Amino acid sequence: MKNQAVLSPMQNQSVPSGGVPSGASVEIKNVPTITVYKFGKAISVKSSDITCLEGVGNYTFVYTRHEKHLVSKCLKEVQDELSSDFLRIHKSYSINARHIASRWPDYIHLSCGKVIPIARRRIRETHEILGRMALSA
């Protein structure tokens, strides 16, 4: 009789298809991802892992710290799929503000070692936005 209390199954809790009892609370963070293909296999890359995006016509190169992937979508489409941490600083480049190593008047160094130019018409706006982001962090 004593062992029955220890070995009895959960009662009064339904288990949905996700495998978590409905009585339990689980916090799931919805991290935006983009699907890239590497050697014919689909891989999901989290937006937090992406350092920058480079648009070349209707294609976009997705850079992480150690890899470079090609996506057959234009830069605007890829940026819209990802989080608001991405900042368009040039016609061909969008950067993840969380991966900035250093900032200069006309270019930005990223944590992956890449140097991204800032378009002349976007210099003031870029530095204002990054300044506000630094203050709020």
Side-chain angles (χ1 to χ4, degrees):
M1 279 293 222
K2 292 179 185 176
N3 290 341
Q4 280 184 336
V6 175
L7 299 176
S8 66
M10 294 186 303
Q11 297 175 0
N12 299 331
Q13 290 184 349
S14 63
V15 179
S17 61
V20 178
S22 60
S25 65
V26 175
E27 185 178 325
I28 299 173
K29 291 186 177 183
N30 190 8
V31 178
T33 61
I34 187 154
T35 303
V36 297
Y37 292 90
K38 186 173 183 177
F39 304 118
K41 286 187 166 184
I43 301 170
S44 288
V45 179
K46 292 188 281 186
S47 66
S48 58
D49 294 338
I50 299 171
T51 57
C52 72
L53 305 169
E54 179 183 6
V56 181
N58 287 329
Y59 295 92
T60 301
F61 286 104
V62 177
Y63 291 90
T64 62
R65 286 187 149 231
H66 305 290
E67 295 181 309
K68 174 180 168 181
H69 305 282
L70 181 65
V71 179
S72 60
K73 295 179 182 176
C74 69
L75 180 58
K76 183 178 181 345
E77 289 178 46
V78 175
Q79 187 173 350
D80 289 345
E81 286 183 29
L82 298 172
S83 67
S84 61
D85 288 336
F86 285 86
L87 180 63
R88 187 78 173 256
I89 63 168
H90 191 276
K91 178 182 178 184
S92 301
Y93 293 100
S94 181
I95 61 165
N96 188 340
R98 296 175 186 261
H99 287 278
I100 294 175
S102 64
R103 187 170 79 171
W104 296 91
D106 56 347
Y107 58 91
I108 291 178
H109 282 274
L110 298 175
S111 60
C112 64
K114 197 158 178 63
V115 178
I116 308 293
I118 303 173
R120 285 178 293 177
R121 69 183 190 97
R122 296 182 193 235
I123 288 176
R124 191 175 79 231
E125 174 191 0
T126 299
H127 288 294
E128 286 174 3
I129 292 170
L130 292 174
R132 282 192 303 244
M133 291 173 89
L135 291 176
S136 65

